[in-house]
Amino acid sequence: MKRLALVPRWWALAALILAVGAYALWIRFTQGLGGASNLHDTFPWGFWVGIDVLVGVGLAAGGFTIAATVYVLNLKKYEPVSRPSLLTAFLGYLLVTAALVVDIGRPLRLWHPLIMWNPHSVMFEVAWCVTLYTTVLALEFSPLVFEKLGWHWPLRAIRAIYLPLVIAGVLLSTLHQSSLGTLFLIVPEKLHGLWYSPVLPAFFFVSAVAAGLSMSIIESFISSKVFSRRLEHDVLLGIARVTVVVLAVYVTWRFADLIGRGMLPLAFVYSQQSVMFWAEIGFGAILPLMLILASGDKIKERNLFFYALLVVGGFVLNRVNVSMTGMRNIETYFPKWSEVAITMMIITVGILLFGLAVRHLNVLAKSEYLEPGTTPGMGWFPRGAVTAVAVFFVVLVLLVRAAPTRTAIEAQAKPIPAAEALNVQPDFELSHLPKDLTLSGPESSMGKVIFSHELHVGMQEKPDCMQCHANTFGLGFQHSPKLEGQEAWHKACGTCHDGKTASSSVDDETGESCASCHKSE
Amino acid sequence: MAFLIDLTKCIGCEACSLACKQENHLPPGSMDKLSAVTWTTIERHGGVNVKRQCNHCVDPTCVSVCPVAALQKTKLEAVIYDETRCIGCRYCIMACPFDVPKYEWFSTQPRVRKCIHCYPRLERGEQPACTEACPTGAAKYGKREDLLLEAKQRIREAPGRYVDHIYGEHEAGGTCALYLTAVPFEQLGFKQIRTDTTYPHLTWNVLRQLPSVVSVGGVGLAGLWWITHRRMELAEERAKEAAESKREEKGQ
């Protein structure tokens, strides 16, 4: 009874997230990106690119990894994982597309890259990979729908081309995972030395494989609790072992690269970036690596789930670091509530669709066995693990906010003296004078004033800009009285137009002096 | 075509900024820094006035990153923008080493905004509005090679006057805005960026591997399948043979 009572609470939470997300969406599409996000000109990519796109695509990597294992390497033992990981990948790519609709400024033109080509652009490659791979995933996934509908000939058609499809999917994924890293190769100064590397595309690919495999472990654990369907221990162990090897390669390569580029010392400078770096590498890669290695063959599934969660957490941190923490001007950006709300809505939709597909399609078919006496539901919720992760993130955010910013550290390391006044005299010949200025006042004005530079300079013995521009008018229009209204002009012009040096600028009984400047038509 | 901007001649009158606004029909607003409505500005660093606008790189980063070729480098060196193509991915804003392109963040039909070198004027054979308005010759318009020669000559003729560096000669592989100064550039907010390569090369070196990855990867994967599949077939055959020979033995 207690378990069942928990279910409506989850539905209420989902409904709340969707409602808040819908409101944030409304803001996004009525007030523009500026209204719904804290993005600005010096920080143009933020939470949506970092989480929705980079993380979303990476977590879908289980799809192609498992497909290659089962259909190319013919390791049929892993077949039970292929359908859930395929579903994750398919949903992942659909949701990434949804996120792009939110993030790009003109979503109705999402199709433009397919028609208007620029093969030199990484973004162009990304657009094509997303489109093609989503299509491939839809085809790879379609047998589940055809099975349900009982359509036999399309089923046979898909099966006939399944191997080429899988190979195309693996190639497209390889390109796409790595090209998300290639995107950042163009910002060698903006991205922090701990993350900018010429091999960033390879790092993106390898880390995505580790995260994708970990996602299959997590899915298996959740499926076993929610749907009472699970993978065999042997299969899980196999995935965990491959994950360990991939992680070990990844960590070694990251450090070899840091040393090779001479950037390792940056990891030991106390900064927002180094704190996030160690959180990413230490807790998200080295720790799970050690824990899985130490556990041996008799690893408990619950523990394996937690270790996989760590790997995925480390992966998320890596993408956050590359796209946000490591980028210049990060101190000017923190996601707005609506950015987080839309992302949470997209994740919630993903989870709901996953549940829907599992209930109505044969996703977990080959791994199914119902444990007698267990009630499907959410009562299994691993409070300990999730609480630990939540506490970790809160502590991390606090630690990062307390650490010195990149800008402060770089300014300290290499102080730039303030520019002194020009140490040489300006040397120029006036080629021409600025055009006449027409100053039009309000309706009640005596008429507009046309100010002639030529006339005024002509009265000087030797042309000297500074006679007027040093103090009275300043240099530059924003410092001129123009923006400050007619009183300011009367005062400024009145410096000379005081009735002695030049005609008066203030009203007198005859009104003649007004007309000396104000011309009515 | 290019700009030569001699900071020792700039008096900071902002005639260039105003001319730019008028020429490009930009709405009024603060001209303190580059923005969606200010394409040319005068930055004030101590007593030095620094004119800023798009540098119109020789091999522009923004042009290379745009997925829909909305940004184009024209024959007249101007980097122009076609707002009907732009999808608003903001990769150009992200990638520009000089932080030039700006965005209309609060519009529901946003555009990228930046100096386009007064391209319509160039096509008519005129010079850009900003250089035309400049009363002191601080901003000059001409062919890049000619201006580069002139800049070198100015340094040669008055070596004590100028820092011996033309910003834009090699920065980002060369730009069409060449700067001369008496005060070191780094004190004036000029970014110290790569001079050994153009930025588009950084991504192109990876992107051009794409055909090899697809072809070699495709063949490799198919080969792997062939080996593993054949191995399975053989294993099945062997199992069948073993079963048959067993049956035969039993039959005898």
Side-chain angles (χ1 to χ4, degrees), chain A residues 63-65 67-68 72 93 125 129-130 132-133 136 140 163-179 205, chain B residues 209-222:
Chain A
F64 85 88
T65 319
V72 177
Y93 270 76
E125 192 206 327
C129 282
V130 174
L132 290 177
Y133 189 49
V136 167
E140 283 187 83
L163 182 72
L165 263 186
V166 168
I167 291 183
V170 174
L171 291 173
L172 285 167
S173 285
T174 310
L175 294 178
H176 188 206
Q177 297 292 352
S178 56
S179 61
F205 176 76
Chain B
Q209 312 291 338
L210 194 141
S212 345
V213 172
V214 172
S215 52
V216 174
V219 172
L221 286 169

Side-chain angles (χ1 to χ4, degrees), chain A residues 469-492:
Chain A
H469 282 299
N471 298 309
T472 314
F473 288 98
L475 259 176
F477 289 89
Q478 61 194 342
H479 307 295
S480 76
K482 185 177 174 225
L483 304 171
E484 294 162 26
Q486 62 184 101
E487 284 310 310
W489 276 104
H490 280 147
K491 197 177 157 207

